[in-house]
Amino acid sequence: ADFKLDSPMPSDESAVAVATSPTRALSEAALRAVATTWSVAFPTAPGRDRFAEAVRRRDAPPTDALSDEYVHGVFDADGACLAACRTFIRVLRVDGEPRRVLALAHVATAPAARGRGYGAAIVRSAFERLGSDGLVESIFCTGIPDFYLKLGASTLPATLRLEYPDGAKPFHDSTLLRYALDSAAPIPPTAVIAVNGDGW
């Protein structure tokens, strides 16, 4: 799928059109546009290729650590990506019990497009995956918790203990957040969460 719009994006968040697609359905051009925004928003070590990483994730077989990945994006009339995030399903273990959660990652807005509500729009689109396929909660980390708290997320307590497989990367940011439907079971404040892979 290629994402293009017939008219410029409005500045009003309520009118922002967010394109949502399974990553596997994206064309190379659309995926490259998304990866370009991620690269600009998240400067990393020289040589890191976010497009190649996105292609590897797209083409990898589904596992308990990563399945059903979607991209939620805002694109201009020429197909340039103004904002994008990704969601996927991860099976965690909370105090030993398996729990399927919606992982939210790589939330980014192109620097020139910030302040127009695009970031909030893509996150709201991501949370709309809850309520289907048995998903009732999203868990993610951030360095800007206030942004997500305004969108209805809540902070998970620092008393949680996170366990990672040997060699896995921990969550990059220290604040862990949760956005949950009313039907979601609570997470005890002293729970042990087996992350089942790298943090996201």
Side-chain angles (χ1 to χ4, degrees):
D2 283 307
F3 292 147
K4 291 189 178 182
L5 299 172
D6 295 329
S7 59
M9 292 302 305
S11 58
D12 178 11
E13 178 195 329
S14 65
V16 173
V18 178
T20 298
S21 172
T23 305
R24 291 181 182 277
L26 291 180
S27 69
E28 296 283 310
L31 193 57
R32 187 178 293 278
V34 170
T36 297
T37 295
W38 288 337
S39 296
V40 172
F42 306 123
T44 52
R48 181 169 182 177
D49 188 338
R50 290 190 178 273
F51 173 65
E53 292 174 6
V55 170
R56 283 196 295 271
R57 288 195 304 268
R58 181 194 66 187
D59 296 341
T63 66
D64 280 351
L66 172 62
S67 66
D68 296 308
E69 182 178 280
Y70 275 65
V71 168
H72 311 261
V74 177
F75 297 79
D76 69 11
D78 297 319
C81 179
L82 304 178
C85 67
R86 52 185 282 257
T87 55
F88 59 92
I89 296 174
R90 169 72 62 92
V91 180
L92 306 176
R93 286 191 173 272
V94 178
D95 286 337
E97 294 297 320
R99 189 180 295 211
R100 293 171 73 250
V101 304
L102 182 71
L104 173 68
H106 292 132
V107 179
T109 302
R114 290 173 183 165
R116 304 178 193 176
Y118 298 162
I122 59 174
V123 170
R124 291 186 194 281
S125 172
F127 290 157
E128 286 176 1
R129 290 192 65 185
L130 299 180
S132 63
D133 197 26
L135 294 169
V136 294
E137 62 188 327
S138 177
I139 291 178
F140 53 99
C141 74
T142 182
I144 50 169
D146 287 349
F147 171 77
Y148 296 96
L149 295 177
K150 291 177 182 177
L151 297 176
S154 59
T155 305
L156 285 172
T159 49
L160 293 174
R161 191 168 90 238
L162 303 178
E163 294 183 344
Y164 300 90
D166 290 343
K169 297 177 183 177
F171 281 106
H172 178 73
D173 293 304
S174 58
T175 302
L176 202 61
L177 296 181
R178 179 183 189 232
Y179 183 93
L181 303 183
D182 291 341
S183 57
I187 296 179
T190 57
V192 177
I193 299 180
V195 178
N196 191 23
D198 291 338
W200 59 88

